[in-house]
Structures are given as C-alpha cells and as structure tokens.
Amino acid sequence: MSVTFTLTAQAQAQEFAAWSFKRSLNTSAYGYTLVQDNTGGALSAKVERFEVRSGDCGAQTGWSDCDTDRERSELSENGSAPPGSEYWYGWYFYLPPNHPNIYPAKVAFGQFHQRNSRSPAFMFQNDAGGLLIDKNFGHSTERVPLISQDDLLGRWHHIEVHAKWDKLDGFFRVYVNGDLRYETAGSTTSGAGIYFKYGLYRSFLSRYKTRFGTQEVPTQVVLFAKVRRATTRQRLQ
C-alpha cells in the first residue's frame, strides 16, 4: 500500500496544486519516519528519517531491487516536470558522524529520474568518499565532487538545484551551502518528464560483500529537511 506525503509549503500552494511523494520499493516501518530533530541544527522541528538495513529490497511490476543487487528507502515524486520546464529545487540533508561508507557499492541520496526511462539524468552519490554529482543518462558521463568526506558527516548541508529540463537547450546547476559547485548546459533530459527521488538508494551491493567477505551490508541512515520545489530561488525558503 503506497502512502502519499504532501510536502508543499503553504506559500507555494497557489503556485502548485501539491508537490507530493510516495514511498518507493520499501514498506518497512523504520524505513521512513518523521522524527523530532535531535541534531540541534535542522531548520525545522521535525525531519524526515530514512533507514536502510541489509535485505531491504522490494519489487514492483517490471522491476525488482532484489534481483538487481539493490536496496533502498526513498520517496518518489508522483508527478513530473515536463521537457521545457524550469524549476528550483532545494533540500537540507544530514549524515550521522558514524555513517558507514559501503564503497565499492554505490549510494545515492537523491536522483532526478526520467519518465519512460530506467536511467536517471542526475544523481547525488557517496562512493569512495564525499558527495558527488553524477551526470548519468544510463552511464556516467561526468562525476564532479561537491562535498569532501571530511566535511560531509555530522553536519547539515543545503543543496539547491536550478534546472531547465530540455532535450537540447537545458541547464543544470548545483549550489552547495550557497555556492555554485557544478553546472552543465545542453541536454538535461532524454525522457518524457523529470521526477525527483530522495532518501537512500544502494546499488551493486555484491561488490561490498565480495570485498569484505560478508553477506551483510551495514545499516545506513540519512535525515532530510525542508524539501522544496519552486519557480524562483526565493520561493524555496
């Protein structure tokens, strides 16, 4: 049973009917919860907590994480941004100080995915260390560091994305804690629309299991706050 979460701020209600999400390929009670902020640094009293434990794989018609070496707990946008549209996206995220790195497996904390395609356009990943942006479209064409591993853990980070979704004349810009850290221009989508997913998405888990001689992958947790979409940067606040 899917559950829909409406995250649109009241100030944006007249601009959008609702920016809503559903859980994706995970129904565990601990996988997604709204909790009080215990970090002391969130800009909201409650934060979204995602947790993935070893074996947290799900399936749906046409796709199985269990059969493709993956685990996740994500929220997936119900709608999508059509080609030609332009939006700002923003969110805060926090990784605990003891957050384990599971490289050589891959972990994504956010994806801009494409309708009618199995390939995301852009992914925010933690691989060997730190946070990087992966321009994907089926295979990585650019991988650019955004936050170092030393700076990543135990603090809140603010991500803002300004994107024009277009098959030819688009752009995609990433701001980290207010500073422009990545931009690309040209094709920013090859699908029928872009939708946002966020949380924890782990893939190629067998790489970790083989390297460390285990069948268990460590539990991971990430917190999110103030996930927003708007037509201007100012309306993200």
Side-chain angles (χ1 to χ4, degrees):
M1 176 179 176
S2 65
V3 180
T4 297
F5 303 89
T6 300
L7 303 176
T8 307
Q10 184 177 0
Q12 295 171 287
Q14 295 179 349
E15 189 170 354
F16 302 102
W19 197 33
S20 62
F21 291 79
K22 61 185 176 183
R23 292 190 66 178
S24 176
L25 292 164
N26 184 304
T27 59
S28 69
Y30 57 80
Y32 175 83
T33 52
L34 289 172
V35 300
Q36 292 294 128
D37 173 45
N38 62 5
T39 70
L43 297 180
S44 56
K46 289 194 173 183
V47 297
E48 298 177 274
R49 183 182 186 275
F50 296 83
E51 179 177 339
V52 175
R53 302 176 186 176
S54 194
D56 281 346
C57 61
Q60 62 188 25
T61 302
W63 181 262
S64 170
D65 277 352
C66 303
D67 294 340
T68 53
D69 205 18
R70 289 163 164 79
E71 298 168 346
R72 78 178 79 202
S73 179
E74 291 184 299
L75 293 189
S76 178
E77 182 183 351
N78 283 313
S80 57
S85 61
E86 181 179 336
Y87 288 109
W88 282 86
Y89 303 81
W91 63 91
Y92 293 82
F93 80 102
Y94 176 94
L95 295 174
N98 61 349
H99 179 84
N101 186 294
I102 62 169
Y103 183 81
K106 295 173 64 175
V107 179
F109 303 117
Q111 307 181 63
F112 286 96
H113 221 296
Q114 306 183 103
R115 297 293 177 197
N116 299 336
S117 173
R118 289 191 172 182
S119 301
F122 298 91
M123 304 179 76
F124 291 83
Q125 295 184 337
N126 172 225
D127 287 352
L131 185 75
L132 59 87
I133 185 72
D134 181 354
K135 185 177 181 181
N136 198 276
F137 296 97
H139 64 278
S140 298
T141 58
E142 282 188 285
R143 292 165 57 83
V144 177
L146 299 175
I147 305 173
S148 71
Q149 184 68 18
D150 288 342
D151 290 335
L152 184 61
L153 305 184
R155 64 187 68 181
W156 284 93
H157 295 280
H158 189 200
I159 304 294
E160 296 168 289
V161 170
H162 185 198
K164 179 182 177 183
W165 304 116
D166 197 274
K167 295 184 179 181
L168 295 174
D169 186 27
F171 59 79
F172 186 88
R173 301 165 185 155
V174 179
Y175 298 80
V176 179
N177 300 322
D179 296 327
L180 179 64
R181 297 298 305 272
Y182 172 79
E183 62 179 323
T184 186
S187 176
T188 53
T189 180
S190 58
I194 288 282
Y195 62 103
F196 184 50
K197 303 184 74 177
Y198 67 102
L200 273 167
Y201 171 46
R202 324 199 298 187
S203 54
F204 304 106
L205 296 168
S206 58
R207 296 177 181 175
Y208 179 92
K209 295 174 182 178
T210 298
R211 173 169 291 188
F212 295 99
T214 180
Q215 291 301 309
E216 298 290 321
V217 180
T219 296
Q220 293 179 302
V221 171
V222 62
L223 306 179
F224 280 82
K226 297 190 68 174
V227 180
R228 301 284 189 265
R229 182 189 69 177
T231 53
T232 66
R233 192 177 194 179
Q234 291 72 24
R235 288 181 70 87
L236 291 177
Q237 307 307 314

